[in-house]
PDB file of all heavy atoms in Angstrom:
ATOM      1  N   GLU A  21     -12.869 -26.850 104.220  1.00  0.00           N
ATOM      2  CA  GLU A  21     -11.840 -27.043 103.181  1.00  0.00           C
ATOM      3  C   GLU A  21     -10.811 -28.047 103.649  1.00  0.00           C
ATOM      4  O   GLU A  21     -10.481 -28.965 102.780  1.00  0.00           O
ATOM      5  CB  GLU A  21     -11.228 -25.664 102.896  1.00  0.00           C
ATOM      6  CG  GLU A  21     -10.104 -25.659 102.048  1.00  0.00           C
ATOM      7  CD  GLU A  21     -10.538 -25.794 100.613  1.00  0.00           C
ATOM      8  OE1 GLU A  21     -11.684 -25.570 100.252  1.00  0.00           O
ATOM      9  OE2 GLU A  21      -9.560 -26.136  99.718  1.00  0.00           O
ATOM     10  N   THR A  22     -10.347 -27.935 104.790  1.00  0.00           N
ATOM     11  CA  THR A  22      -9.381 -28.935 105.390  1.00  0.00           C
ATOM     12  C   THR A  22      -9.902 -30.226 105.389  1.00  0.00           C
ATOM     13  O   THR A  22      -9.178 -31.272 104.920  1.00  0.00           O
ATOM     14  CB  THR A  22      -8.977 -28.402 106.783  1.00  0.00           C
ATOM     15  OG1 THR A  22      -8.717 -27.074 106.704  1.00  0.00           O
ATOM     16  CG2 THR A  22      -7.862 -29.193 107.234  1.00  0.00           C
ATOM     17  N   VAL A  23     -11.211 -30.413 105.875  1.00  0.00           N
ATOM     18  CA  VAL A  23     -11.770 -31.722 105.880  1.00  0.00           C
ATOM     19  C   VAL A  23     -11.904 -32.366 104.488  1.00  0.00           C
ATOM     20  O   VAL A  23     -11.608 -33.471 104.180  1.00  0.00           O
ATOM     21  CB  VAL A  23     -13.190 -31.626 106.599  1.00  0.00           C
ATOM     22  CG1 VAL A  23     -13.971 -32.969 106.506  1.00  0.00           C
ATOM     23  CG2 VAL A  23     -13.020 -31.266 108.032  1.00  0.00           C
ATOM     24  N   MET A  24     -12.295 -31.614 103.430  1.00  0.00           N
ATOM     25  CA  MET A  24     -12.475 -31.974 102.067  1.00  0.00           C
ATOM     26  C   MET A  24     -11.257 -32.442 101.586  1.00  0.00           C
ATOM     27  O   MET A  24     -11.221 -33.527 100.867  1.00  0.00           O
ATOM     28  CB  MET A  24     -13.033 -30.854 101.322  1.00  0.00           C
ATOM     29  CG  MET A  24     -14.700 -30.998 101.137  1.00  0.00           C
ATOM     30  SD  MET A  24     -15.282 -29.566 100.155  1.00  0.00           S
ATOM     31  CE  MET A  24     -14.013 -29.447  98.801  1.00  0.00           C
ATOM     32  N   VAL A  25     -10.159 -31.646 101.692  1.00  0.00           N
ATOM     33  CA  VAL A  25      -8.958 -31.981 101.103  1.00  0.00           C
ATOM     34  C   VAL A  25      -8.424 -33.293 101.756  1.00  0.00           C
ATOM     35  O   VAL A  25      -7.862 -34.160 101.128  1.00  0.00           O
ATOM     36  CB  VAL A  25      -7.850 -30.879 101.373  1.00  0.00           C
ATOM     37  CG1 VAL A  25      -6.533 -31.224 101.075  1.00  0.00           C
ATOM     38  CG2 VAL A  25      -8.274 -29.616 100.551  1.00  0.00           C
ATOM     39  N   ALA A  26      -8.464 -33.422 103.168  1.00  0.00           N
ATOM     40  CA  ALA A  26      -8.032 -34.482 103.870  1.00  0.00           C
ATOM     41  C   ALA A  26      -8.845 -35.803 103.468  1.00  0.00           C
ATOM     42  O   ALA A  26      -8.255 -36.908 103.326  1.00  0.00           O
ATOM     43  CB  ALA A  26      -8.193 -34.401 105.379  1.00  0.00           C
ATOM     44  N   LYS A  27     -10.093 -35.717 103.158  1.00  0.00           N
ATOM     45  CA  LYS A  27     -10.989 -36.762 102.797  1.00  0.00           C
ATOM     46  C   LYS A  27     -10.523 -37.280 101.331  1.00  0.00           C
ATOM     47  O   LYS A  27     -10.282 -38.554 101.145  1.00  0.00           O
ATOM     48  CB  LYS A  27     -12.391 -36.281 102.716  1.00  0.00           C
ATOM     49  CG  LYS A  27     -13.383 -37.238 103.262  1.00  0.00           C
ATOM     50  CD  LYS A  27     -14.758 -36.585 103.067  1.00  0.00           C
ATOM     51  CE  LYS A  27     -15.372 -36.339 104.337  1.00  0.00           C
ATOM     52  NZ  LYS A  27     -16.779 -36.043 104.218  1.00  0.00           N
ATOM     53  N   LYS A  28     -10.240 -36.427 100.544  1.00  0.00           N
ATOM     54  CA  LYS A  28      -9.830 -36.750  99.084  1.00  0.00           C
ATOM     55  C   LYS A  28      -8.501 -37.519  99.184  1.00  0.00           C
ATOM     56  O   LYS A  28      -8.238 -38.468  98.565  1.00  0.00           O
ATOM     57  CB  LYS A  28      -9.664 -35.504  98.316  1.00  0.00           C
ATOM     58  CG  LYS A  28     -10.939 -34.975  97.669  1.00  0.00           C
ATOM     59  CD  LYS A  28     -10.716 -34.688  96.201  1.00  0.00           C
ATOM     60  CE  LYS A  28     -11.881 -34.813  95.269  1.00  0.00           C
ATOM     61  NZ  LYS A  28     -13.217 -34.826  95.820  1.00  0.00           N
ATOM     62  N   LYS A  29      -7.558 -36.886  99.924  1.00  0.00           N
ATOM     63  CA  LYS A  29      -6.151 -37.431 100.008  1.00  0.00           C
ATOM     64  C   LYS A  29      -6.262 -38.847 100.667  1.00  0.00           C
ATOM     65  O   LYS A  29      -5.676 -39.760 100.174  1.00  0.00           O
ATOM     66  CB  LYS A  29      -5.332 -36.456 101.005  1.00  0.00           C
ATOM     67  CG  LYS A  29      -3.912 -36.351 100.513  1.00  0.00           C
ATOM     68  CD  LYS A  29      -3.429 -35.137 101.287  1.00  0.00           C
ATOM     69  CE  LYS A  29      -2.298 -35.514 102.280  1.00  0.00           C
ATOM     70  NZ  LYS A  29      -1.811 -34.331 103.079  1.00  0.00           N
ATOM     71  N   ALA A  30      -7.125 -39.042 101.667  1.00  0.00           N
ATOM     72  CA  ALA A  30      -7.201 -40.342 102.368  1.00  0.00           C
ATOM     73  C   ALA A  30      -7.836 -41.365 101.395  1.00  0.00           C
ATOM     74  O   ALA A  30      -7.325 -42.438 101.312  1.00  0.00           O
ATOM     75  CB  ALA A  30      -8.022 -40.206 103.511  1.00  0.00           C
ATOM     76  N   ALA A  31      -8.789 -40.903 100.663  1.00  0.00           N
ATOM     77  CA  ALA A  31      -9.565 -41.896  99.710  1.00  0.00           C
ATOM     78  C   ALA A  31      -8.537 -42.280  98.621  1.00  0.00           C
ATOM     79  O   ALA A  31      -8.480 -43.491  98.238  1.00  0.00           O
ATOM     80  CB  ALA A  31     -10.738 -41.108  98.971  1.00  0.00           C
ATOM     81  N   ALA A  32      -7.710 -41.330  98.154  1.00  0.00           N
ATOM     82  CA  ALA A  32      -6.616 -41.727  97.114  1.00  0.00           C
ATOM     83  C   ALA A  32      -5.721 -42.765  97.740  1.00  0.00           C
ATOM     84  O   ALA A  32      -5.290 -43.721  97.003  1.00  0.00           O
ATOM     85  CB  ALA A  32      -5.990 -40.474  96.665  1.00  0.00           C
ATOM     86  N   MET A  33      -5.266 -42.580  98.949  1.00  0.00           N
ATOM     87  CA  MET A  33      -4.397 -43.458  99.530  1.00  0.00           C
ATOM     88  C   MET A  33      -4.982 -44.820  99.707  1.00  0.00           C
ATOM     89  O   MET A  33      -4.330 -45.822  99.492  1.00  0.00           O
ATOM     90  CB  MET A  33      -3.934 -42.950 100.967  1.00  0.00           C
ATOM     91  CG  MET A  33      -3.019 -41.779 100.973  1.00  0.00           C
ATOM     92  SD  MET A  33      -2.729 -41.213 102.669  1.00  0.00           S
ATOM     93  CE  MET A  33      -1.878 -42.470 103.463  1.00  0.00           C
ATOM     94  N   ILE A  34      -6.224 -44.797 100.125  1.00  0.00           N
ATOM     95  CA  ILE A  34      -6.947 -46.184 100.337  1.00  0.00           C
ATOM     96  C   ILE A  34      -7.064 -46.814  99.094  1.00  0.00           C
ATOM     97  O   ILE A  34      -6.625 -48.116  98.991  1.00  0.00           O
ATOM     98  CB  ILE A  34      -8.265 -46.011 101.167  1.00  0.00           C
ATOM     99  CG1 ILE A  34      -8.082 -45.419 102.541  1.00  0.00           C
ATOM    100  CG2 ILE A  34      -9.054 -47.277 101.131  1.00  0.00           C
ATOM    101  CD1 ILE A  34      -9.226 -44.807 103.172  1.00  0.00           C
ATOM    102  N   ARG A  35      -7.451 -46.125  98.024  1.00  0.00           N
ATOM    103  CA  ARG A  35      -7.598 -46.817  96.662  1.00  0.00           C
ATOM    104  C   ARG A  35      -6.280 -47.376  96.185  1.00  0.00           C
ATOM    105  O   ARG A  35      -6.151 -48.501  95.719  1.00  0.00           O
ATOM    106  CB  ARG A  35      -8.219 -45.887  95.759  1.00  0.00           C
ATOM    107  CG  ARG A  35      -9.649 -45.557  96.009  1.00  0.00           C
ATOM    108  CD  ARG A  35     -10.389 -45.038  94.784  1.00  0.00           C
ATOM    109  NE  ARG A  35     -11.812 -44.934  95.103  1.00  0.00           N
ATOM    110  CZ  ARG A  35     -12.531 -43.787  95.457  1.00  0.00           C
ATOM    111  NH1 ARG A  35     -11.753 -42.711  95.502  1.00  0.00           N
ATOM    112  NH2 ARG A  35     -13.803 -43.818  95.704  1.00  0.00           N
ATOM    113  N   GLU A  36      -5.214 -46.496  96.385  1.00  0.00           N
ATOM    114  CA  GLU A  36      -3.855 -46.930  95.972  1.00  0.00           C
ATOM    115  C   GLU A  36      -3.392 -48.162  96.654  1.00  0.00           C
ATOM    116  O   GLU A  36      -2.556 -48.917  96.074  1.00  0.00           O
ATOM    117  CB  GLU A  36      -2.952 -45.695  96.210  1.00  0.00           C
ATOM    118  CG  GLU A  36      -2.677 -44.911  94.846  1.00  0.00           C
ATOM    119  CD  GLU A  36      -2.029 -43.654  95.155  1.00  0.00           C
ATOM    120  OE1 GLU A  36      -1.054 -43.699  96.040  1.00  0.00           O
ATOM    121  OE2 GLU A  36      -2.437 -42.559  94.647  1.00  0.00           O
ATOM    122  N   SER A  37      -3.897 -48.339  97.866  1.00  0.00           N
ATOM    123  CA  SER A  37      -3.524 -49.508  98.592  1.00  0.00           C
ATOM    124  C   SER A  37      -4.162 -50.849  98.080  1.00  0.00           C
ATOM    125  O   SER A  37      -3.833 -51.972  98.559  1.00  0.00           O
ATOM    126  CB  SER A  37      -3.728 -49.348 100.133  1.00  0.00           C
ATOM    127  OG  SER A  37      -5.085 -49.693 100.336  1.00  0.00           O
ATOM    128  N   GLY A  38      -5.136 -50.601  97.097  1.00  0.00           N
ATOM    129  CA  GLY A  38      -5.824 -51.809  96.568  1.00  0.00           C
ATOM    130  C   GLY A  38      -7.244 -52.062  97.093  1.00  0.00           C
ATOM    131  O   GLY A  38      -7.895 -52.988  96.712  1.00  0.00           O
ATOM    132  N   ILE A  39      -7.633 -51.302  98.084  1.00  0.00           N
ATOM    133  CA  ILE A  39      -9.036 -51.332  98.683  1.00  0.00           C
ATOM    134  C   ILE A  39     -10.004 -50.611  97.823  1.00  0.00           C
ATOM    135  O   ILE A  39      -9.773 -49.402  97.558  1.00  0.00           O
ATOM    136  CB  ILE A  39      -9.011 -50.930 100.138  1.00  0.00           C
ATOM    137  CG1 ILE A  39      -7.971 -51.766 101.000  1.00  0.00           C
ATOM    138  CG2 ILE A  39     -10.431 -50.972 100.652  1.00  0.00           C
ATOM    139  CD1 ILE A  39      -7.754 -51.254 102.391  1.00  0.00           C
ATOM    140  N   LYS A  40     -11.157 -51.376  97.493  1.00  0.00           N
ATOM    141  CA  LYS A  40     -12.142 -50.612  96.576  1.00  0.00           C
ATOM    142  C   LYS A  40     -13.012 -49.768  97.403  1.00  0.00           C
ATOM    143  O   LYS A  40     -13.438 -50.162  98.545  1.00  0.00           O
ATOM    144  CB  LYS A  40     -12.927 -51.619  95.922  1.00  0.00           C
ATOM    145  CG  LYS A  40     -12.273 -52.694  95.057  1.00  0.00           C
ATOM    146  CD  LYS A  40     -11.726 -52.094  93.788  1.00  0.00           C
ATOM    147  CE  LYS A  40     -11.089 -53.197  92.925  1.00  0.00           C
ATOM    148  NZ  LYS A  40      -9.876 -52.892  92.295  1.00  0.00           N
ATOM    149  N   LEU A  41     -13.435 -48.590  97.039  1.00  0.00           N
ATOM    150  CA  LEU A  41     -14.232 -47.639  97.640  1.00  0.00           C
ATOM    151  C   LEU A  41     -15.292 -47.079  96.854  1.00  0.00           C
ATOM    152  O   LEU A  41     -15.012 -46.734  95.697  1.00  0.00           O
ATOM    153  CB  LEU A  41     -13.389 -46.488  98.286  1.00  0.00           C
ATOM    154  CG  LEU A  41     -12.539 -46.487  99.447  1.00  0.00           C
ATOM    155  CD1 LEU A  41     -12.124 -45.144  99.787  1.00  0.00           C
ATOM    156  CD2 LEU A  41     -13.159 -47.212 100.573  1.00  0.00           C
ATOM    157  N   SER A  42     -16.566 -47.017  97.283  1.00  0.00           N
ATOM    158  CA  SER A  42     -17.588 -46.306  96.445  1.00  0.00           C
ATOM    159  C   SER A  42     -17.536 -44.894  96.790  1.00  0.00           C
ATOM    160  O   SER A  42     -16.861 -44.461  97.691  1.00  0.00           O
ATOM    161  CB  SER A  42     -18.990 -46.862  96.864  1.00  0.00           C
ATOM    162  OG  SER A  42     -19.249 -46.493  98.198  1.00  0.00           O
ATOM    163  N   ALA A  43     -18.156 -44.154  95.855  1.00  0.00           N
ATOM    164  CA  ALA A  43     -18.229 -42.726  96.195  1.00  0.00           C
ATOM    165  C   ALA A  43     -18.874 -42.377  97.464  1.00  0.00           C
ATOM    166  O   ALA A  43     -18.443 -41.508  98.181  1.00  0.00           O
ATOM    167  CB  ALA A  43     -19.005 -41.987  95.092  1.00  0.00           C
ATOM    168  N   GLU A  44     -19.865 -43.131  97.968  1.00  0.00           N
ATOM    169  CA  GLU A  44     -20.639 -42.883  99.263  1.00  0.00           C
ATOM    170  C   GLU A  44     -19.607 -43.176 100.316  1.00  0.00           C
ATOM    171  O   GLU A  44     -19.557 -42.520 101.311  1.00  0.00           O
ATOM    172  CB  GLU A  44     -21.730 -43.901  99.398  1.00  0.00           C
ATOM    173  CG  GLU A  44     -22.959 -43.548  98.421  1.00  0.00           C
ATOM    174  CD  GLU A  44     -22.803 -44.014  97.110  1.00  0.00           C
ATOM    175  OE1 GLU A  44     -21.806 -44.869  96.836  1.00  0.00           O
ATOM    176  OE2 GLU A  44     -23.509 -43.542  96.201  1.00  0.00           O
ATOM    177  N   GLU A  45     -18.835 -44.286 100.247  1.00  0.00           N
ATOM    178  CA  GLU A  45     -17.839 -44.494 101.243  1.00  0.00           C
ATOM    179  C   GLU A  45     -16.849 -43.403 101.268  1.00  0.00           C
ATOM    180  O   GLU A  45     -16.403 -43.017 102.454  1.00  0.00           O
ATOM    181  CB  GLU A  45     -17.166 -45.896 100.920  1.00  0.00           C
ATOM    182  CG  GLU A  45     -18.160 -47.052 101.172  1.00  0.00           C
ATOM    183  CD  GLU A  45     -17.678 -48.536 100.909  1.00  0.00           C
ATOM    184  OE1 GLU A  45     -16.886 -48.423  99.715  1.00  0.00           O
ATOM    185  OE2 GLU A  45     -17.943 -49.405 101.533  1.00  0.00           O
ATOM    186  N   GLU A  46     -16.298 -42.975 100.181  1.00  0.00           N
ATOM    187  CA  GLU A  46     -15.370 -41.860 100.221  1.00  0.00           C
ATOM    188  C   GLU A  46     -15.972 -40.646 101.048  1.00  0.00           C
ATOM    189  O   GLU A  46     -15.343 -40.088 101.812  1.00  0.00           O
ATOM    190  CB  GLU A  46     -15.022 -41.356  98.786  1.00  0.00           C
ATOM    191  CG  GLU A  46     -14.157 -40.113  98.863  1.00  0.00           C
ATOM    192  CD  GLU A  46     -13.535 -39.717  97.504  1.00  0.00           C
ATOM    193  OE1 GLU A  46     -13.505 -40.696  96.498  1.00  0.00           O
ATOM    194  OE2 GLU A  46     -13.164 -38.575  97.347  1.00  0.00           O
ATOM    195  N   GLU A  47     -17.236 -40.377 100.736  1.00  0.00           N
ATOM    196  CA  GLU A  47     -17.911 -39.243 101.465  1.00  0.00           C
ATOM    197  C   GLU A  47     -17.978 -39.517 102.980  1.00  0.00           C
ATOM    198  O   GLU A  47     -17.895 -38.558 103.720  1.00  0.00           O
ATOM    199  CB  GLU A  47     -19.425 -39.095 100.777  1.00  0.00           C
ATOM    200  CG  GLU A  47     -19.949 -37.790 101.196  1.00  0.00           C
ATOM    201  CD  GLU A  47     -19.189 -36.511 101.096  1.00  0.00           C
ATOM    202  OE1 GLU A  47     -18.344 -36.408 100.044  1.00  0.00           O
ATOM    203  OE2 GLU A  47     -19.139 -35.855 101.943  1.00  0.00           O
ATOM    204  N   GLY A  48     -18.021 -40.826 103.381  1.00  0.00           N
ATOM    205  CA  GLY A  48     -18.139 -41.155 104.712  1.00  0.00           C
ATOM    206  C   GLY A  48     -16.835 -41.255 105.483  1.00  0.00           C
ATOM    207  O   GLY A  48     -16.988 -41.557 106.749  1.00  0.00           O
ATOM    208  N   ILE A  49     -15.868 -40.835 104.862  1.00  0.00           N
ATOM    209  CA  ILE A  49     -14.476 -41.002 105.642  1.00  0.00           C
ATOM    210  C   ILE A  49     -14.538 -39.937 106.723  1.00  0.00           C
ATOM    211  O   ILE A  49     -14.735 -38.732 106.434  1.00  0.00           O
ATOM    212  CB  ILE A  49     -13.277 -40.810 104.723  1.00  0.00           C
ATOM    213  CG1 ILE A  49     -13.202 -41.901 103.742  1.00  0.00           C
ATOM    214  CG2 ILE A  49     -11.979 -40.535 105.468  1.00  0.00           C
ATOM    215  CD1 ILE A  49     -12.167 -41.716 102.600  1.00  0.00           C
ATOM    216  N   GLU A  50     -14.235 -40.223 107.942  1.00  0.00           N
ATOM    217  CA  GLU A  50     -14.149 -39.273 109.008  1.00  0.00           C
ATOM    218  C   GLU A  50     -12.900 -38.575 109.112  1.00  0.00           C
ATOM    219  O   GLU A  50     -11.756 -39.429 109.126  1.00  0.00           O
ATOM    220  CB  GLU A  50     -14.430 -39.906 110.357  1.00  0.00           C
ATOM    221  CG  GLU A  50     -15.932 -40.215 110.600  1.00  0.00           C
ATOM    222  CD  GLU A  50     -16.172 -40.963 111.909  1.00  0.00           C
ATOM    223  OE1 GLU A  50     -15.991 -42.181 111.960  1.00  0.00           O
ATOM    224  OE2 GLU A  50     -16.353 -40.252 112.896  1.00  0.00           O
ATOM    225  N   VAL A  51     -12.800 -37.358 109.194  1.00  0.00           N
ATOM    226  CA  VAL A  51     -11.600 -36.693 109.409  1.00  0.00           C
ATOM    227  C   VAL A  51     -11.418 -36.227 110.863  1.00  0.00           C
ATOM    228  O   VAL A  51     -12.246 -35.364 111.306  1.00  0.00           O
ATOM    229  CB  VAL A  51     -11.389 -35.521 108.475  1.00  0.00           C
ATOM    230  CG1 VAL A  51     -10.073 -34.792 108.671  1.00  0.00           C
ATOM    231  CG2 VAL A  51     -11.423 -35.969 106.969  1.00  0.00           C
ATOM    232  N   LEU A  52     -10.589 -36.708 111.694  1.00  0.00           N
ATOM    233  CA  LEU A  52     -10.542 -36.533 113.081  1.00  0.00           C
ATOM    234  C   LEU A  52      -9.259 -35.859 113.495  1.00  0.00           C
ATOM    235  O   LEU A  52      -8.142 -36.171 113.093  1.00  0.00           O
ATOM    236  CB  LEU A  52     -10.465 -37.791 113.805  1.00  0.00           C
ATOM    237  CG  LEU A  52     -11.582 -38.749 113.733  1.00  0.00           C
ATOM    238  CD1 LEU A  52     -11.390 -40.059 114.586  1.00  0.00           C
ATOM    239  CD2 LEU A  52     -13.000 -38.176 114.151  1.00  0.00           C
TER     240      LEU A  52
END
Side-chain angles (χ1 to χ4, degrees):
E21 170 77 17
T22 310
V23 171
M24 262 174 47
V25 169
K27 227 183 242 194
K28 276 226 149 24
K29 215 162 111 182
M33 285 173 68
I34 294 168
R35 289 200 174 101
E36 262 164 44
S37 82
I39 298 170
K40 309 283 188 225
L41 286 188
S42 67
E44 290 77 15
E45 285 169 331
E46 172 169 342
E47 194 44 48
I49 294 173
E50 284 180 276
V51 177
L52 299 176

